[in-house]
Amino acid sequence: MSRTYGAAELRGQTWNITAEPHVMMMVKRVFTGLQRQYGTLKISNTEANAELLEWLMMRYPLEITSRDKKVLDGVTIAAREKRVRGDVLIRGGTPADVCTLIPLRPYQLLAIELLKIRTSLLVGDDLGLGKTCVALGGIAAGLQPAIVVCKTHLQLQWKAEAEKFLFGVKAHIVKKMKPYSLPDHNLLIITYSKLAGWAETLKGYQLIAFDEAQELRRSGTDKYSAAKHLARNSAHRLGLTATPVYNYGDEIFSLINLLAPKSLGTHTEFLAEWCTPMGNHYKVNDPDALGSHLAENHLFLRRRRAEVGRELPPVTKIVDEVQYDEKRLLAMEGTALQLAKTILRGTWEERGKASLELDALMRQQTGLAKAPYVAEFVQQLVEAGESVILAGWHREVYVVWQKMFQEKGIQSRLYTGSETPAMKALAASDFINGTARVFILSLRSGEGLNGLQHKASIIVFGELDWSPQVHEQCIGRLNRDGQSNPVTAVYLYAGGGSDPVIIQTLGLKKAQSEGILNPGQDHGATPQQAESVRSASLARAILTRAGEDAEEVDLVEVMAGRS
């Protein structure tokens, strides 16, 4: 009988490992998320963990009951079979054709086949590569009835696309927050805002597809809980987004865990293995490694335009400083200074409230301070014959822009969070047909919007967002199939206010998303960003400009009541 070094016991969905000291050290080396565990080591029973445990036991045999061994073998065999089938497909396999009114492209068929193999998949193809067709192709391949979850302004677009691609589709758009008797359908279209009301009602669906799945990057919300419940009760789960990481890399866990529960271990294991605390967030230590892990295990499928032969000219990005009304910023300097001091030196509760207030105050006032000069810049483009998308955030800034455009006889339209879907559709139509020359787009309202590429090739960011992926989503409205001209994105920033800090912060966030999306590639130089919270960065900048001490008190002391 061969020697054993300890024991492995499955309790519920957790492996409990006890072994000789040197073997326990080896277990911790293999399962890096266990570094802070002592005594019996607890490992969640996931496919990835089961395979590692099996491999470890080849070198250091552990006592295990026949029942537990059967469970371990079942998990590891299933994991290997799925991975091998996925590998064969990715490395040159021929996916089955799918019968649609408009033929699907090979890379779209591959994603559908991988979804059928894995049952869970996050598709992160470049903007404009037709991720919608993956979901519709899945329906055509027999994964029906199906649910598509989308943002409010995209419901009609999804219905129109389904009718354009699918034979015999019976699509129904959910009209109310509360359940009602549904008509006969094989495609149900529902918005994220209605999920909570319907989560207990919708059962028996073969596919649930989450469009713009970055909406689910934060767990703990009613929306996320409802989506997780629906996903658990659907045979196949599909996420569609070119921008799964808006801010920090730990957001990818929420998405993957919803689609393929525990494939990245528990949340605690994921954070311990992959991340470092960074204020209220967690920064992924090695985004390239995490991206490779997700791709290797076929949890995340991303194709770039060049890889599928649909490359567009590169986007020209111009960062340009504009004038701003310094008096406006000076007028609120006293309030900003006090908030900055509170953020760096106040109690835990005071910091949170002050952070929100400072962010809102500085961004709005910065937007207003440069608003006239942004409008003048756009006016010059229009007078040169261009139609322009102008991206912003604050309603008060839009009012300034529209008033100046009206004075110059320039028609503009709003596409923001305040308009109804019908109003948004009319605004897009007016811009595309040339009635309006300026399309004012809210930074976070353009996801999934299609058609603007036929009219414009220039987007101007009149206000900036903290997340680089928000900018990429906006640029994606133009940089997609149907665009006949090279796209230019112009970032207009003020030399004061919040803009300089936002520009610096964007460097870190882009590094987080790029490594996960495109592992192993050169992501370019990234500005060093040591701050853990963006409001703290803003506070330091304000105090530094005022010539005051910008040092932060020790949070441990603050929380202990010693500051």
Side-chain angles (χ1 to χ4, degrees):
M1 182 176 179
S2 61
R3 179 190 173 189
T4 58
Y5 293 81
E9 181 184 5
L10 184 61
R11 296 180 185 174
Q13 287 301 307
T14 302
W15 288 102
N16 287 255
I17 310 296
T18 55
E20 296 175 16
H22 72 287
V23 177
M24 295 290 268
M25 291 178 62
M26 180 61 68
V27 174
K28 287 188 175 184
R29 287 175 61 186
V30 174
F31 299 93
T32 55
L34 304 180
Q35 295 302 318
R36 295 183 181 178
Q37 287 192 28
Y38 300 95
T40 300
L41 300 179
K42 299 180 183 298
I43 306 167
S44 59
N45 183 33
T46 65
E47 290 183 351
N49 285 348
E51 287 191 281
L52 284 175
L53 181 58
E54 179 191 59
W55 172 78
L56 185 72
M57 288 171 62
M58 293 174 66
R59 172 61 183 86
Y60 299 103
L62 301 175
E63 292 180 15
I64 184 171
T65 66
S66 57
R67 181 190 69 86
D68 289 353
K69 184 66 165 62
K70 186 176 181 180
V71 172
L72 182 64
D73 290 344
V75 173
T76 56
I77 290 170
R80 275 193 291 271
E81 285 180 350
K82 284 191 290 186
R83 187 169 57 254
V84 168
R85 291 177 63 194
D87 286 345
V88 170
L89 180 67
I90 294 291
R91 294 170 186 171
T94 304
D97 201 1
V98 174
C99 188
T100 52
L101 289 167
I102 300 174
L104 300 182
R105 297 182 178 120
Y107 65 88
Q108 293 165 340
L109 293 172
L110 186 150
I112 296 165
E113 192 74 18
L114 189 59
L115 171 64
K116 291 168 69 177
I117 292 171
R118 291 285 317 178
T119 70
S120 301
L121 182 64
L122 179 61
V123 176
D125 291 345
D126 268 353
L127 291 161
L129 283 185
K131 291 181 289 296
T132 299
C133 294
V134 176
L136 297 177
I139 297 170
L143 303 182
Q144 54 177 280
I147 302 173
V148 166
V149 186
C150 65
K151 302 190 78 172
T152 303
H153 66 281
L154 297 175
Q155 297 172 96
L156 294 174
Q157 184 171 299
W158 264 99
K159 188 173 186 292
E161 289 295 299
E163 291 169 348
K164 184 167 66 175
F165 274 89
L166 301 180
F167 291 97
V169 66
K170 290 177 285 187
H172 176 71
I173 296 176
V174 174
K175 302 291 195 303
K176 300 177 181 178
M177 300 290 287
K178 294 183 178 180
Y180 57 87
S181 180
L182 294 170
D184 184 34
H185 66 278
N186 56 7
L187 172 58
L188 191 70
I189 301 170
I190 185 171
T191 62
Y192 284 98
S193 59
K194 295 186 177 77
L195 280 183
W198 285 83
E200 296 288 354
T201 304
L202 302 177
K203 297 178 181 178
Y205 287 84
Q206 290 299 305
L207 170 66
I208 185 165
F210 296 100
D211 184 34
E212 303 299 342
Q214 70 274 7
E215 285 292 301
L216 301 170
R217 66 189 183 275
R218 294 192 186 95
S219 60
T221 64
D222 289 343
K223 175 172 63 176
Y224 186 90
S225 297
K228 189 174 183 179
H229 182 76
L230 282 169
R232 191 184 301 120
N233 290 302
S234 300
H236 296 78
R237 298 162 296 280
L238 177 65
L240 304 172
T241 175
T243 53
V245 179
Y246 256 41
N247 296 292
Y248 297 93
D250 63 311
E251 294 171 352
I252 198 74
F253 176 85
S254 297
L255 278 178
I256 296 294
N257 195 54
L258 183 142
L259 299 171
K262 294 191 177 178
S263 56
L264 291 175
T266 65
H267 189 233
T268 300
E269 288 173 342
F270 175 79
L271 294 182
E273 183 170 356
W274 294 101
C275 301
T276 297
M278 192 169 190
N280 298 326
H281 307 281
Y282 282 85
K283 177 175 72 76
V284 173
N285 297 321
D286 192 338
D288 277 44
L290 178 56
S292 296
H293 176 78
L294 295 174
E296 175 73 18
N297 289 280
H298 309 307
L299 296 169
F300 181 44
L301 178 66
R302 172 172 168 78
R303 281 76 59 88
R304 308 184 80 176
R305 284 188 167 275
E307 295 170 346
V308 298
R310 302 194 63 79
E311 196 166 10
L312 292 172
V315 175
T316 299
K317 296 184 179 181
I318 300 171
V319 181
D320 201 1
E321 185 172 2
V322 293
Q323 290 180 269
Y324 65 98
D325 183 354
E326 193 169 5
K327 290 182 180 179
R328 173 178 284 277
L329 294 182
L330 289 173
M332 54 88 184
E333 192 175 58
T335 303
L337 199 60
Q338 187 56 50
L339 288 170
K341 291 178 180 178
T342 302
I343 289 170
L344 296 183
R345 298 162 193 165
T347 65
W348 186 264
E349 293 79 8
E350 290 171 341
R351 286 175 176 224
K353 185 172 182 294
S355 294
L356 294 175
E357 291 181 14
L358 183 65
D359 186 25
L361 174 68
M362 292 296 292
R363 288 183 67 195
Q364 183 187 69
Q365 293 305 313
T366 302
L368 287 169
K370 65 180 179 177
Y373 305 100
V374 169
E376 286 181 7
F377 183 91
V378 173
Q379 174 196 332
Q380 293 173 13
L381 292 174
V382 172
E383 290 174 350
E386 299 288 347
S387 292
V388 181
I389 294 179
L390 175 57
W393 183 243
H394 293 96
R395 177 66 53 175
E396 296 82 357
V397 174
Y398 304 154
V399 170
V400 175
W401 288 346
Q402 286 201 297
K403 182 180 179 182
M404 291 189 64
F405 292 145
Q406 189 175 17
E407 290 173 353
K408 298 297 181 180
I410 298 172
Q411 289 288 318
S412 63
R413 294 292 184 271
L414 288 171
Y415 194 101
T416 72
S418 301
E419 290 76 43
T420 65
M423 293 166 67
K424 288 179 178 178
L426 180 60
S429 176
D430 283 351
F431 182 71
I432 293 169
N433 66 31
T435 302
R437 299 291 299 281
V438 179
F439 190 77
I440 298 176
L441 175 68
S442 175
L443 281 162
R444 300 197 176 211
S445 292
E447 295 144 320
L449 177 60
N450 194 19
L452 303 184
Q453 71 272 25
H454 301 298
K455 185 62 180 178
S457 60
I458 297 178
I459 180 168
V460 175
F461 291 99
E463 292 188 271
L464 303 178
D465 196 279
W466 286 104
S467 171
Q469 297 308 318
V470 168
H471 299 141
E472 293 302 317
Q473 277 282 359
C474 292
I475 293 170
R477 301 314 102 212
L478 297 181
N479 193 44
R480 58 201 301 116
D481 285 349
Q483 177 59 258
S484 56
N485 297 302
V487 172
T488 300
V490 183
Y491 298 78
L492 298 180
Y493 74 96
S498 59
D499 278 2
V501 181
I502 292 177
I503 287 175
Q504 182 186 22
T505 303
L506 289 174
L508 170 69
K509 294 180 178 179
K510 187 170 180 61
Q512 287 281 286
S513 65
E514 281 295 320
I516 294 171
L517 291 173
N518 306 305
Q521 298 183 20
D522 181 8
H523 310 306
T526 302
Q528 290 299 313
Q529 171 69 12
E531 276 69 32
S532 59
V533 183
R534 68 193 191 193
S535 54
S537 306
L538 196 53
R540 288 190 184 91
I542 291 169
L543 290 171
T544 299
R545 283 198 295 269
E548 298 203 18
D549 179 23
E551 287 299 313
E552 183 173 5
V553 297
D554 191 318
L555 264 182
V556 175
E557 293 185 0
V558 170
M559 295 180 72
R562 293 193 292 269
S563 65

